[in-house]
Amino acid sequence: MNAKGRYTGFAIALHWLLAVAILTAFGVGLYMTGLGMSPAKLKLINWHKWAGVSILFLSAVRLLWRLSHRPPELPASIERAMPAWQKVAHHGTHWLMYVLFFAVPLIGWAYSSARGYPIVWFGVLPLPDFVPVDKELAEAIKPWHGLAAFALIGLVGLHVAAALKHHFIDRDGLLLRMRPGR
């Protein structure tokens, strides 16, 4: 596949940086929910919030880049070989992931604000409360953060499975468009 069919270096870097950040934040989120209250859990909660705000910021950068830099077209051979349902799944999965890139951290921020727990990004930059302190609202919001996070991870899994299918079964070079380096 030629360089024209690849994403830009900046788009590739954002893709992989967000992938690592999202998977790590999800893993830490799962781990910390099983811990009893302790200083270690409080540190993980703060780290998880920092990661969420960072993911929100990187998602905004990625979306702006995506809107201002058209991605490379699918190679004609791949486009022809994909059934219509796969094209719909391809585009739908990408746009749903973008929605969840924003929804998951924003719901987490709203939950934290409603609980009355401030977010101080990296312990330096205090962020405004997203919603007023309201314990009932917090309890209503809390499950949505987890559900949205699991939905995002499910879509990421689908995205990875599709990329691996293209690479190992179809052998069509699609994965090379987002491979770092070159």
Coordinates of all heavy atoms in Angstrom, one line a residue, residues 22 102 108 166:
I22 N -7.2 4.8 26.6 CA -8.6 4.3 26.9 C -8.5 2.9 27.5 O -9.2 2.6 28.5 CB -9.4 4.2 25.6 CG1 -9.8 5.7 25.2 CG2 -10.6 3.4 25.7 CD1 -10.4 5.8 23.8
F102 N -16.2 11.0 23.9 CA -16.6 12.1 24.7 C -17.5 11.8 25.8 O -17.4 12.3 26.9 CB -17.2 13.2 23.7 CG -16.3 13.8 22.8 CD1 -16.0 13.3 21.5 CD2 -15.6 14.9 23.2 CE1 -15.1 13.8 20.7 CE2 -14.6 15.5 22.3 CZ -14.4 15.0 21.1
G108 N -18.3 10.7 33.5 CA -17.5 10.5 34.7 C -17.3 11.9 35.4 O -17.4 11.9 36.6
H166 N -9.2 -8.3 8.6 CA -8.6 -7.7 7.3 C -7.2 -8.1 7.1 O -6.7 -8.4 6.0 CB -8.8 -6.2 7.3 CG -10.1 -5.8 6.8 ND1 -10.5 -5.7 5.5 CD2 -11.2 -5.4 7.5 CE1 -11.7 -5.3 5.4 NE2 -12.2 -5.1 6.6

